[in-house]
Amino acid sequence: MAKVRIVLNRRGVRELLKSDAVAGACKAQADAIRDRCGDGYESDVYTGKNRVNAMVWPESAKARQDNSHNNTILRRLK
């Protein structure tokens, strides 16, 4: 059996990781996690140096306390 070698197009992968399609998918995931966390949580998507990033954070004091005591964001990732 012959060995198969795959060579990635680095420029193409870089463009893909920064694309609007990936940003839309990250936004959808971040919004779904935010919705599962409940009131007081926010989400955002931004393009960094290497890829699109999404984040969810507690905006209100009640949400910060909830996340601190219960690890809400981490538990809602699943």
Side-chain angles (χ1 to χ4, degrees):
M1 183 186 269
K3 291 185 179 181
V4 177
R5 181 173 177 188
I6 298 173
V7 179
L8 291 177
N9 178 342
R10 289 178 180 226
R11 183 180 298 161
V13 171
R14 192 176 311 115
E15 289 175 8
L16 178 66
L17 290 175
K18 290 184 173 186
S19 71
D20 290 336
V22 172
C26 287
K27 178 157 180 53
Q29 288 293 319
D31 289 346
I33 293 166
R34 181 199 62 208
D35 292 343
R36 287 194 300 261
C37 287
D39 293 335
Y41 290 87
E42 293 294 326
S43 64
D44 190 22
V45 175
Y46 65 95
T47 303
K49 181 180 176 185
N50 297 318
R51 66 182 66 90
V52 173
N53 299 286
M55 58 185 172
V56 177
W57 70 93
E59 183 70 23
S60 68
K62 184 178 178 183
R64 280 191 297 275
Q65 183 179 15
D66 175 51
N67 188 54
S68 177
H69 290 155
N70 301 317
N71 250 348
T72 304
I73 295 173
L74 185 61
R75 289 177 185 230
R76 299 308 184 255
L77 285 174
K78 296 180 182 179

